[in-house]
Amino acid sequence: MLYDLAIVIYDIVVHLAAPFSRKPRKMMKGHWVVYELLRQQVEKDARYIWFHAASLGEFEQGRPLIEKIREKYPDYKILLTFFSPSGYEVRKNYRGADIVCYLPFDKPRNVKKFLDIVNPCMAFFIKYEFWKNYLDEMHKRRIPVYSVSSIFRRDQIFFKWYGGTYRNVLKDFDHLFVQNETSKRYLSKIGITRVTVVGDTRFDRVLQIREEAKDLPLVKLFKGQSLTFVAGSSWGPDEDLFLEYFNSHPEMKLIIAPHVIDENHLVEIISKLKRPYVRYTRADEKNVLKADCLLIDCYGLLSSIYRYGEIAYIGGGFGVGIHNTLEAAVYGIPVIFGPKYQKFMEAVQLLEAKGAYSVKNYEELKALLDKMLSDEVFLRETGNNAGYYVTSNAGATDRILHMINF
């Protein structure tokens, strides 16, 4: 079958790439030890709930559900698997799960071996995870499996005339918890009816992140009483726009947390700055007071930094697509991003809610920021709209748990 052949080819490609590239090499090392790791760590009489996430983004989406189950049903053990090294490497020590490992490639032999060792009592696949052999085998073994925060669009293979095999895969799910009515409508057209619209668990996650936000004394000191513009996950084309505005507006301060933190990119940003700056890792109580721009040259702080801003700019909208808008919106501040946002439902809805604005060029950014800086009511209302959008869409985690029998 074509699907199985594609998996075999992918496996071969990863093996061939491993000697030359770090990511495939880490993946292969993880795959080599996965069964041994499971044999050592799986407790024979325990009941395991299995969560599978492709990468870090999907894990964050599923995290509220993992942690709520952990809290409400402590008798169950949690197994968390990742497909991508970028998810596994960051979260391999995640304390919310009892076992964290890679998911072996979706070959029939691997699937049987994996399920024989783990024997999960139920499974949750986050968002776009549709591994045919795993789903078929769990269906045969009558292991309940759920799709969480999934979203379906007309251009996906399930809805093509040649997508019969993939349509059948969807029938393996005991229930699909989808993000919107459109997804439910598309699924009903192909005969998939065990579907409930619950929304997106990411709203629950960003509210959780806001509660856990770190206090950053140096950032607070830097901000002082000034209106502060926070640019998160920015790329070069984003920076060209907001740096030009910042350079000529001494009344505002700027915090930049670029998406890529390597020396070349940091030097490039610094070369465009015409006002005093300090790098976060070199900041202290004295030099931070003399700076107008704080350059975040380390990872892990952005979701906490947004709390210190009055306006947020989310990068990526001049490239493949914008980054996480909800992490900023949850603080009740206006969100700005570039023109490539259409694939991101929350960005579209934030625009509709008048909690966000998209800009195509410097002229549009300048006009928008001029208005925000001069019209306090507009600034406050836009921020309130953004915050309300997040809180009013929360609750997907509880809606899912309400429908599952433990």
Side-chain angles (χ1 to χ4, degrees), residues 103-156:
L103 181 68
F105 287 127
D106 190 25
K107 299 180 193 170
R109 193 181 58 164
N110 290 352
V111 168
K112 288 187 173 77
K113 198 171 173 182
F114 178 87
L115 292 174
D116 285 346
I117 299 170
V118 177
N119 189 26
C121 59
M122 68 180 78
F124 294 89
F125 279 28
I126 312 298
K127 202 171 183 180
Y128 292 134
E129 293 302 278
F130 306 107
W131 296 108
K132 183 185 183 305
N133 293 317
Y134 279 103
L135 290 167
D136 284 352
E137 187 63 27
M138 281 193 284
H139 187 68
K140 277 184 210 162
R141 297 186 187 206
R142 299 191 174 179
I143 298 167
V145 58
Y146 306 99
S147 177
V148 173
S149 282
S150 43
I151 191 162
F152 293 88
R153 295 185 305 275
R154 192 171 55 191
D155 58 355
Q156 288 169 309

Side-chain angles (χ1 to χ4, degrees), residues 378-389:
F378 174 66
L379 179 69
R380 188 173 62 249
E381 284 182 354
T382 307
N384 288 343
N385 292 342
Y388 180 72
Y389 168 71

Side-chain angles (χ1 to χ4, degrees), residues 222-265:
F222 164 79
K223 175 186 172 52
Q225 300 301 310
S226 302
L227 182 138
T228 303
F229 182 98
V230 178
S233 304
S234 61
W235 295 81
D238 303 300
E239 290 147 9
D240 286 340
L241 301 196
F242 63 72
L243 286 174
E244 186 176 343
Y245 191 87
F246 165 74
N247 284 333
S248 59
H249 286 79
E251 70 273 32
M252 82 176 204
K253 287 194 171 182
L254 172 65
I255 302 174
I256 313 176
H259 186 71
V260 176
I261 299 174
D262 65 28
E263 201 57 33
N264 289 340
H265 189 199

Side-chain angles (χ1 to χ4, degrees), residues 181-278:
E181 289 290 344
T182 309
S183 297
K184 185 178 182 179
R185 199 162 58 247
Y186 282 134
L187 289 169
S188 74
K189 285 179 182 174
I190 57 169
I192 307 294
T193 55
R194 293 192 299 271
V195 180
T196 304
V197 179
V198 294
D200 189 345
T201 49
R202 277 185 308 164
F203 290 97
D204 300 329
R205 177 61 189 142
V206 292
L207 285 164
Q208 202 179 351
I209 288 169
R210 187 182 70 182
E211 292 303 307
E212 297 163 2
K214 302 176 184 123
D215 255 333
L216 302 169
L218 281 176
V219 179
K220 189 177 180 181
L221 195 60
F222 164 79
K223 175 186 172 52
Q225 300 301 310
S226 302
L227 182 138
T228 303
F229 182 98
V230 178
S233 304
S234 61
W235 295 81
D238 303 300
E239 290 147 9
D240 286 340
L241 301 196
F242 63 72
L243 286 174
E244 186 176 343
Y245 191 87
F246 165 74
N247 284 333
S248 59
H249 286 79
E251 70 273 32
M252 82 176 204
K253 287 194 171 182
L254 172 65
I255 302 174
I256 313 176
H259 186 71
V260 176
I261 299 174
D262 65 28
E263 201 57 33
N264 289 340
H265 189 199
L266 295 174
V267 168
E268 190 183 316
I269 292 169
I270 290 163
S271 71
K272 295 172 187 174
L273 282 167
K274 292 176 183 168
R275 292 171 63 191
Y277 75 92
V278 65

Side-chain angles (χ1 to χ4, degrees), residues 167-377:
R167 284 194 282 279
N168 288 333
V169 167
L170 296 179
K171 291 173 185 171
D172 288 334
F173 284 105
D174 287 70
H175 210 89
L176 291 102
F177 296 103
V178 299
Q179 290 190 31
N180 57 22
E181 289 290 344
T182 309
S183 297
K184 185 178 182 179
R185 199 162 58 247
Y186 282 134
L187 289 169
S188 74
K189 285 179 182 174
I190 57 169
I192 307 294
T193 55
R194 293 192 299 271
V195 180
T196 304
V197 179
V198 294
D200 189 345
T201 49
R202 277 185 308 164
F203 290 97
D204 300 329
R205 177 61 189 142
V206 292
L207 285 164
Q208 202 179 351
I209 288 169
R210 187 182 70 182
E211 292 303 307
E212 297 163 2
K214 302 176 184 123
D215 255 333
L216 302 169
L218 281 176
V219 179
K220 189 177 180 181
L221 195 60
F222 164 79
K223 175 186 172 52
Q225 300 301 310
S226 302
L227 182 138
T228 303
F229 182 98
V230 178
S233 304
S234 61
W235 295 81
D238 303 300
E239 290 147 9
D240 286 340
L241 301 196
F242 63 72
L243 286 174
E244 186 176 343
Y245 191 87
F246 165 74
N247 284 333
S248 59
H249 286 79
E251 70 273 32
M252 82 176 204
K253 287 194 171 182
L254 172 65
I255 302 174
I256 313 176
H259 186 71
V260 176
I261 299 174
D262 65 28
E263 201 57 33
N264 289 340
H265 189 199
L266 295 174
V267 168
E268 190 183 316
I269 292 169
I270 290 163
S271 71
K272 295 172 187 174
L273 282 167
K274 292 176 183 168
R275 292 171 63 191
Y277 75 92
V278 65
R279 289 167 64 149
Y280 184 78
T281 57
R282 299 174 190 175
D284 58 41
E285 289 180 2
K286 283 183 181 174
N287 63 18
V288 83
L289 292 171
K290 295 173 186 169
D292 294 331
C293 173
L294 183 60
L295 183 52
I296 309 299
D297 54 352
C298 57
Y299 289 109
L301 300 180
L302 181 56
S303 60
S304 296
I305 283 172
Y306 284 125
R307 71 193 292 195
Y308 297 101
E310 277 77 28
I311 303 168
Y313 182 100
I314 312 300
F318 289 89
V320 292
I322 55 171
H323 296 287
N324 193 333
T325 52
L326 297 180
E327 279 188 346
V330 74
Y331 290 103
I333 60 176
V335 177
I336 304 170
F337 41 78
K340 294 185 181 174
Y341 62 82
Q342 292 79 5
K343 287 184 182 175
F344 303 87
M345 187 177 73
E346 67 280 7
V348 173
Q349 291 177 344
L350 262 172
L351 289 170
E352 289 168 357
K354 293 191 166 26
Y357 289 87
S358 173
V359 295
K360 295 191 206 67
N361 50 45
Y362 176 70
E363 287 69 31
E364 290 187 3
L365 179 69
K366 182 180 186 306
L368 180 60
L369 288 179
D370 283 349
K371 188 172 184 188
M372 286 182 173
L373 267 60
S374 62
D375 186 342
E376 201 178 309
V377 174

